[in-house]
Amino acid sequence: MKGINKRHLLTSMMMVFLLFLAAACGGAETEAPAQEEEPAGQVEETAPEETEAEAPAEEEAMEEEAEEPAEEEAMEEEAEPEAPAEEEAMEEEAEEMMEEEERVLIIGHSEVTESYDLAHAFNPTSGIVHRASYDTLVTFPDTDASSIEPNLATSWSVSEDGLSYTFNLRDDVTFANGDPLTADDVVFSFTRLINVQSNPSFLADPIESLEAVDDLTVVINLVEPRPSFLAEMVNSAFSVANDAEVIAAGGTNAEDAASTDGAQEFLDQNSVGTGPYILESWTPQEETVLVRNPGYWGESPYFDRIIIVNIPEAATQQVALESGDIDLATDLAPDQVTGLEDDPNITVFRGQDRWTHFVLMNRDPEIGGPVSDPNVALAIRYALDYQGYTDLWTGSVTPGSNMWIGIAGAFGPDQAFERDLDRARDLLTEAGYPDGFEIELSYPDFTFGGINLSTNAQKIQADLAEVGITVSLRPGEVQVSLEEYRNGEQGFAYWFWGPDILDPVDFLSFLPGGKVAGERTNWTEDMIDEDTLALIAQAGSETDPEVRAEIFEQLQVYAQENGAYAPFNVPAIQTAFRSDIQGYIWHPEWGLDLAGLSRSN
Amino acid sequence: MSLQIYIIRRILFAIPLILGITVVSFIIANAVPADPINANLPQNALNDPELVAAFRERWGLDKSPVEQYFIYLGNLLQGDLGVSIKTKNPILEDIQQFLPATIELATVSIVVGLTMGISFGVVSAVWRNSIIDYLVRIFALIGVSFPVFLLALIGLTVFHAELGWVAGPGRLSFLVDDPPQVTGWFTIDSLLAGEWETFWDALSHLILPSLVLGSFVSGIIARITRSSLLEELNADYIRTARSKGLHERVVIVKHALSNALIPVVTIIGLLYGNLLAGAVLTESIFAWPGLGRYVFRASTSQDFPAIMGVSMLIALIYVAVNFLVDILYYFLDPRIRLK
C-alpha cells in the first residue's frame, strides 16, 4: 500500500474530497462531473436563469418599480428554464412572444379524484375543477352558505306542496363550444347523473322526475318535500353539461346508463360546460390543465391557463411555494403556515374549515358503558377544556353544536359550552360515579387537514383526568377504526364530521333517526320523548325559513343537554399563496374558486 | 450443469414462488379488517343498499374469498391483472403510466449509489484507518441510517429553494410539456424527440431524488466494498501480485477489486428491488408520479386489484433482477458452480 506514489495519492485525495463533498451536500456532486463533461453547459446555463426566475425577493423588488412586463418575463423564464441553442433561437423567440401574452397560474395541490366526469367524480379536486369549468343552476354567496343565489337559473319557484321546483334559465348562455344552453341540457345532465349510478348519484335521490317545459324552463319534481333541495343543487354534481357533446362521446342518460354510458373517458379529459374555464387535459396524479373559456357568459377570468400540479406532500408544497415554483399551495399544515407568515413574498389565508371534531358516546350500555348515561355525557361536555383546543390549533373555534358553524343558524362560539369542572363532578356524582371511571377512547391515528388526532386525543385524556375519568387511548389504523365507527362498535370515540349538505338538515344526522346517531351511537328514536321526535320530523320537511330557524335552534339546545356527542373544535383551513396573487376566497362547498384569482402588477 | 439448464431450472423454480406471492398478497389484502365499500363509496351512498350491492357485485366482493382468489388467478394466467377500483382503469394500463417514472428514478439512483459507494469503499479500504476512511465510514453510517424523507426535504429546501442549483419537485418543470412517450423515461424520450431543453430539465429534476435515494444505496455499498476489499487485499494472491512488481493500481483495481465486488453484485439485486418497492416516501416528497404513490393510494382505499397487481409486478421484478444477478456470478467468477 505504501507503493502508491504521491501524485496518485494527491489526485485520489482530491477525488475523494469532491465525492465526499458531493455526498455530504447532495447538489455538489452534479457540479463536479459537470465541469468535465457535457452537462457543464446545462448546469452553467440554467443555474443563473433559474435563480433569477425563482428568487422571489428580486422579483418582488422589481415589480414595485417596473410594471407588468417584469412579471411576465419572470413567468416566461420559468416556462423556458434553459437557454435555447443558437440554431433554435428564432423558433424559441416566436414561442416566447406567444407565451409572453399568456397569464399562467400554477397551483400545488394534493390531488384527490378518480375522474372529472360530473356523473362519477365526487371529490375535493373534482369540485374545484367543476366549479371552474361548469355551472350549476343556483349557487351560494362567495364565502358562505347563508343564502341561495341565481346562477344559470335567473329565478325559480316552489309549488305549495313543496314538491315541484320550476327554474327559469338565462337566455344568454352558451357552452364552451358555442352551443346555446337549453332546458334539455339540464334534463339530460341530471338524468344521466341519476342513471349512471356512480358516486354522486345519491345526491339526486330526492328527484322523482324532470321535465323541460320549454327551451328555458325546467321543472323538477321531488319524491317528498325537501327544504334543503336548493342547497343540495349547489353541489357540482348538478352542473349542466352539453347533451350533444356527451352523446357524441358515447354518453347516455338512458335508464341502463350504468352499463351503457361510455363518456367517462372523454369527460375525464374534456369539459363540456358553460364555466369560465375549459378542461384541457388531465394526467392522473400529475397535473390538470385548464384554459380560459373565451366565450364565457359571465365576467372573463384573469388567467389564461391554470395548471393544477399534484404535490401530495404538504412539506413539498411549502418548498415549491417558497421557491416560486407554484403560486398557491392548497394543503399546508397549521405549523407550516405559521412559519410562512413572516415571509413578505407569501400571503397566508385562514378560514373556517368544514370539519367539526367531536367526542362520541355510545348510548348502548353494552358498548358505551358509563358514557351511555346522558348525565355522564353532559359531564364530559362540561369537563372538556374548549379554550385549550383553540389555543392548540391556530384559527380554530369552538362549535356550539354538531351543526357546522358555516351553516345558517348553527350555534357558534357564543352559544358553546364553557368548561365547568364543578358542574362536571356534580353530574358524575349524580350518575353514580363520584370517583370517576376507566374507559378506552378509540380514534383513527392520523393527521387530517393538518390536525393530528393523536394530539387532541391526548388532550381529551388530560381534560377528563381532572374529573376523575381515567382514559386509556386506543388509536387505530384509519380504515379499521372507520369500520368500527360506522358499525357503531366504538363506545367512546373521537371523530370529526363534515356536512354533506350545507343546510341545517345535515344536523339531523346527529339526532335519533339520523345516520350518525342511529348507526354509530345507537341513540335511537325510542330513547327520546314524543315532542322532540315530532320536532325532528318537522325539521326535515318544514320549508318556511323562519319556522325552520326556530326548530333548529330548539334542536341544538336539546342536543347540548341530552346529546351523545361533545363537539369541541372546528379547525381552520389554511392556504398560502405568493403575495402577488389576489382574489383568494375559500368556500366550504367548492373549495377554491379559480375564476376569482388574479395577479397584481 | 450447463448454463441453459440452469436458466430453465431457475425459471421453473420461480413459478411456485410467484404463486406463493399471489396467495400471500391476497391473504394480507383480505385480512385487513376494513371493507372496500367504506373506502370507495361516499358516506351517503352507503345508506343505499342498492348502490352497495351493485358495488359488491361489480367488483366480485359478493363472492367467497376462495372463489375471488381463483377468479383472480385465472385472469392472471391470461395476463389480465384486473381493473382498479379506484381509477377504473385496467391495472396494466395504470402500471404502464406509473412504472416508467419509478424505473427511471430507481435505475439512476442505483447508478449514482453504485458509483459513489464503490469509490468510497475503495478509498476507504486502501487508506484504511486514515481520516478519509473515518469520514467515509461516517458518511456510510449517515447514508444508511438517516431517514430518506428528511434528507429529501433538506435537499429540496437547501439546494432547490435556497440555492436554486437543482430543479424542484416533479419530473419536469411545471410549464414544460412531457416528451412524446416511447420508453416512458423522460430523459430518453426527450433525446429521441430531439428536445434538448426537455432533456436537461428532466435530468435536472432527477439529480436531487436520485442523490437522496443513492445516498442510502451508497452507504450500504461503501461498507460492503470496504470490508470485502480489505479481505481480498490480505489474500495470498495479492501478495504474489505485488511481489511480481505490479503497479499498485493494477493490483487493487484489476486483482483485488474485481474479486471484492462479488458480494456487491449480490446486494445490488436486493437494493434495486428495495428502491422499486420502497420509494413511496421519496416519490411523495418529490411529487414524483411513480408506482410508489399509486400503490400508496391503492392501499389507503382498499383497492385490492391494484394492490395485488403491483405486488405481483414488484415480486416479478425482484425475481428477475436476482435471477440476472445469479447469471452474472457465472461470468464474474468461473469458480462459482451453478447448482
Side-chain angles (χ1 to χ4, degrees):
Chain A
M1 219 167 297
K2 299 261 156 43
I4 297 179
N5 66 36
K6 275 190 177 169
R7 197 165 53 83
H8 274 126
L9 189 91
L10 209 71
T11 33
S12 309
M13 283 278 283
M14 279 181 64
M15 203 189 85
V16 174
F17 178 72
L18 276 174
L19 277 168
F20 188 76
L21 204 78
C25 52
E29 202 255 352
T30 45
E31 295 221 323
Q35 257 140 38
E36 301 149 22
E37 287 170 24
E38 253 189 76
Q42 185 249 345
V43 174
E44 279 166 15
E45 278 168 21
T46 47
E49 287 227 5
E50 273 202 6
T51 2
E52 242 183 74
E54 284 169 8
E58 279 172 39
E59 207 178 295
E60 287 292 315
M62 276 172 70
E63 272 166 42
E64 276 171 26
E65 284 164 40
E67 270 88 66
E68 212 177 42
E71 170 63 43
E72 300 203 334
E73 249 173 59
M75 292 283 308
E76 165 241 304
E77 274 170 12
E78 270 187 28
E80 305 283 335
E82 281 80 35
E86 270 175 36
E87 61 262 38
E88 284 173 28
M90 296 291 281
E91 263 181 59
E92 294 296 331
E93 249 171 44
E95 259 186 62
E96 278 169 28
M97 293 281 281
M98 282 174 67
E99 283 189 28
E100 222 169 37
E101 308 275 317
E102 196 170 52
R103 295 159 166 175
V104 185
L105 175 75
I106 302 180
I107 295 175
H109 172 72
S110 176
E111 180 182 303
V112 187
T113 194
E114 286 74 46
S115 174
Y116 284 130
D117 183 338
L118 292 171
H120 288 284
F122 190 59
N123 282 301
T125 307
S126 59
I128 294 172
V129 169
H130 288 159
R131 172 77 184 170
S133 49
Y134 293 90
D135 287 303
T136 47
L137 296 184
V138 291
T139 189
F140 286 132
D142 284 346
T143 56
D144 57 30
S146 57
S147 62
I148 302 290
E149 308 277 320
N151 202 23
L152 288 180
T154 51
S155 60
W156 54 90
S157 56
V158 187
S159 65
E160 279 285 305
D161 57 6
L163 285 173
S164 177
Y165 286 64
T166 306
F167 295 91
N168 303 304
L169 305 181
R170 292 181 71 104
D171 58 5
D172 59 347
V173 178
T174 54
F175 287 98
N177 75 341
D179 293 351
L181 167 80
T182 68
D184 288 334
D185 295 305
V186 179
V187 172
F188 177 87
S189 302
F190 294 0
T191 41
R192 178 165 179 269
L193 171 70
I194 296 167
N195 290 332
V196 164
Q197 288 188 22
S198 188
N199 293 343
S201 298
F202 73 91
L203 289 167
D205 283 351
I207 298 177
E208 170 79 47
S209 65
L210 293 121
E211 191 189 345
V213 178
D214 60 45
D215 267 4
L216 296 174
T217 313
V218 181
V219 174
I220 300 179
N221 299 307
L222 303 188
V223 179
E224 57 188 14
R226 193 169 172 95
S228 58
F229 185 61
L230 286 171
E232 288 168 70
M233 289 198 66
V234 178
N235 191 296
S236 64
F238 286 106
S239 294
V240 181
N242 185 349
D243 58 0
E245 283 181 275
V246 177
I247 292 167
T252 173
N253 64 344
E255 281 204 5
D256 59 353
S259 53
T260 56
D261 180 274
Q264 184 183 356
E265 203 171 319
F266 175 78
L267 293 172
D268 281 349
Q269 296 292 330
N270 303 274
S271 61
V272 291
T274 56
Y277 284 96
I278 303 167
L279 175 63
E280 189 186 68
S281 69
W282 175 44
T283 315
Q285 295 291 298
E286 266 187 73
E287 62 174 26
T288 305
V289 181
L290 297 160
V291 292
R292 200 162 58 84
N293 173 6
Y296 179 51
W297 57 276
E299 195 186 329
S300 188
Y302 176 88
F303 287 104
D304 298 312
R305 178 180 293 266
I306 296 179
I307 305 175
I308 304 173
V309 188
N310 181 26
I311 305 181
E313 206 62 45
T316 313
Q317 286 192 14
Q318 183 186 348
V319 173
L321 182 69
E322 285 173 317
S323 61
D325 294 341
I326 57 175
D327 294 308
L328 195 153
T330 59
D331 310 271
L332 299 180
D335 52 338
Q336 290 178 301
V337 172
T338 314
L340 287 170
E341 274 172 334
D342 301 329
D343 191 331
N345 299 314
I346 289 167
T347 303
V348 166
F349 170 91
R350 279 203 181 88
Q352 253 19 269
D353 206 346
R354 56 183 290 162
W355 306 98
T356 304
H357 290 240
F358 63 89
V359 174
L360 166 159
M361 292 158 282
N362 204 308
R363 278 292 149 94
D364 182 341
E366 301 267 304
I367 302 168
V371 297
S372 63
D373 182 332
N375 270 334
V376 173
L378 185 59
I380 287 172
R381 280 194 285 276
Y382 276 113
L384 292 176
D385 168 27
Y386 299 96
Q387 184 62 42
Y389 298 95
T390 53
D391 291 346
L392 200 55
W393 308 108
T394 314
S396 70
V397 296
T398 308
S401 76
N402 281 84
M403 193 193 297
W404 180 65
I405 54 171
I407 294 173
F411 281 9
D414 294 345
Q415 293 111 311
F417 273 83
E418 276 184 36
R419 192 179 206 197
D420 187 339
L421 292 175
D422 292 333
R423 184 79 206 278
R425 288 190 193 102
D426 289 348
L427 283 161
L428 283 177
T429 311
E430 227 173 277
Y433 301 101
D435 304 320
F437 50 84
E438 289 182 11
I439 195 157
E440 263 187 349
L441 179 73
S442 304
Y443 64 96
D445 188 13
F446 76 136
T447 297
F448 182 82
I451 305 296
N452 184 333
L453 270 70
S454 182
T455 308
N456 276 341
Q458 286 167 42
K459 177 144 180 60
I460 293 167
Q461 185 182 37
D463 288 356
L464 297 185
E466 291 191 45
V467 293
I469 302 174
T470 310
V471 177
S472 53
L473 300 182
R474 187 177 161 268
E477 194 276 323
V478 185
Q479 289 299 333
V480 176
S481 198
L482 186 66
E483 186 101 346
E484 295 174 353
Y485 165 55
R486 286 183 170 166
N487 292 336
E489 292 159 6
Q490 295 181 340
F492 188 54
Y494 160 31
W495 281 94
F496 53 88
W497 173 265
D500 293 327
I501 310 165
L502 293 180
D503 184 276
V505 295
D506 187 73
F507 175 58
L508 297 178
S509 286
F510 285 85
L511 294 168
K515 174 169 52 185
V516 182
E519 294 169 12
R520 300 174 189 181
T521 330
N522 299 307
W523 187 21
T524 46
E525 283 159 307
D526 56 353
M527 295 182 186
I528 60 169
D529 59 274
E530 290 291 320
D531 292 350
T532 313
L533 264 183
L535 205 60
I536 291 170
Q538 198 189 347
S541 59
E542 179 61 54
T543 48
D544 183 328
E546 278 177 29
V547 183
R548 282 188 94 198
E550 202 173 299
I551 296 171
F552 277 103
E553 189 178 336
Q554 287 180 47
L555 287 175
Q556 287 179 83
V557 171
Y558 180 81
Q560 286 191 328
E561 286 295 316
N562 307 289
Y565 311 90
F568 61 87
N569 194 253
V570 175
I573 186 160
Q574 40 265 313
T575 316
F577 40 87
R578 304 293 295 180
S579 293
D580 57 352
I581 297 297
Q582 296 187 326
Y584 180 86
I585 299 171
W586 185 81
H587 195 282
E589 175 68 42
W590 51 78
L592 172 56
D593 196 348
L594 297 174
L597 297 171
S598 64
R599 196 189 294 277
S600 66
N601 293 330
Chain B
M1 187 190 302
S2 76
L3 187 61
Q4 286 91 330
I5 295 178
Y6 176 72
I7 291 176
I8 291 167
R9 261 184 58 166
R10 282 297 304 258
I11 291 174
L12 288 178
F13 275 137
I15 292 173
L17 184 65
I18 289 164
L19 264 179
I21 293 164
T22 64
V23 174
V24 171
S25 59
F26 189 84
I27 289 174
I28 291 175
N30 274 281
V32 179
D35 193 331
I37 300 270
N38 280 339
N40 290 288
L41 285 180
Q43 293 209 352
N44 271 341
L46 292 172
N47 285 353
D48 187 338
E50 257 179 61
L51 278 182
V52 171
F55 182 90
R56 285 197 187 281
E57 197 193 327
R58 168 147 191 220
W59 298 104
L61 296 165
D62 51 349
K63 300 189 171 66
S64 75
V66 177
E67 211 175 330
Q68 286 180 40
Y69 175 74
F70 281 104
I71 293 174
Y72 177 78
L73 205 60
N75 290 337
L76 195 65
L77 289 176
Q78 298 162 31
D80 179 4
L81 287 175
V83 173
S84 159
I85 297 180
K86 205 75 191 164
T87 68
K88 313 275 195 299
N89 291 329
I91 311 274
L92 263 181
E93 256 177 47
D94 278 349
I95 287 176
Q96 268 168 16
Q97 188 200 335
F98 295 108
L99 184 65
T102 298
I103 299 253
E104 183 174 26
L105 180 57
T107 309
V108 174
S109 301
I110 203 110
V111 170
V112 168
L114 268 180
T115 316
M116 281 164 56
I118 293 179
S119 318
F120 288 0
V122 170
V123 293
S124 174
V126 171
W127 285 281
R128 188 182 179 185
N129 291 333
S130 68
I131 293 267
I132 295 169
D133 184 22
Y134 287 124
L135 287 177
V136 167
R137 280 155 72 182
I138 290 171
F139 165 78
L141 189 68
I142 293 174
V144 172
S145 53
F146 206 74
V148 169
F149 67 92
L150 198 57
L151 201 60
L153 268 181
I154 293 173
L156 266 180
T157 311
V158 175
F159 298 103
H160 174 61
E162 294 295 325
L163 299 171
W165 289 357
V166 290
R171 293 180 81 189
L172 284 176
S173 294
F174 299 138
L175 289 172
V176 175
D177 290 331
D178 292 3
Q181 180 162 5
V182 184
T183 60
W185 286 41
F186 280 3
T187 43
I188 294 179
D189 287 353
S190 56
L191 281 182
L192 289 177
E195 296 172 1
W196 285 95
E197 286 167 31
T198 311
F199 172 72
W200 292 127
D201 194 52
L203 199 65
S204 176
H205 278 84
L206 266 171
I207 292 173
L208 212 48
S210 64
L211 276 173
V212 167
L213 284 174
S215 74
F216 173 75
V217 173
S218 69
I220 294 176
I221 301 219
R223 287 173 144 196
I224 293 172
T225 310
R226 179 179 180 275
S227 63
S228 147
L229 187 58
L230 281 177
E231 206 171 299
E232 296 296 332
L233 284 173
N234 287 329
D236 292 344
Y237 73 93
I238 294 294
R239 200 179 327 118
T240 313
R242 281 191 180 131
S243 65
K244 277 187 353 194
L246 285 180
H247 197 288
E248 183 67 12
R249 194 176 57 201
V250 177
V251 172
I252 291 174
V253 176
K254 201 172 168 203
H255 293 267
L257 188 60
S258 59
N259 284 316
L261 283 184
I262 287 175
V264 174
V265 171
T266 315
I267 200 88
I268 291 173
L270 295 172
L271 282 174
Y272 191 74
N274 263 340
L275 280 180
L276 286 182
V280 179
L281 274 172
T282 329
E283 286 186 358
S284 192
I285 285 172
F286 285 104
W288 199 264
L291 209 57
R293 265 170 47 193
Y294 175 71
V295 77
F296 174 75
R297 296 235 313 134
S299 25
T300 51
S301 57
Q302 303 288 311
D303 188 346
F304 291 159
I307 300 171
M308 306 262 307
V310 175
S311 312
M312 280 301 302
L313 179 86
I314 293 196
L316 278 177
I317 295 178
Y318 224 91
V319 170
V321 169
N322 283 293
F323 175 60
L324 283 179
V325 164
D326 288 354
I327 303 289
L328 212 60
Y329 283 154
Y330 182 81
F331 294 101
L332 277 181
D333 188 347
R335 287 172 308 176
I336 291 178
R337 291 269 181 278
L338 300 171
K339 282 180 191 157

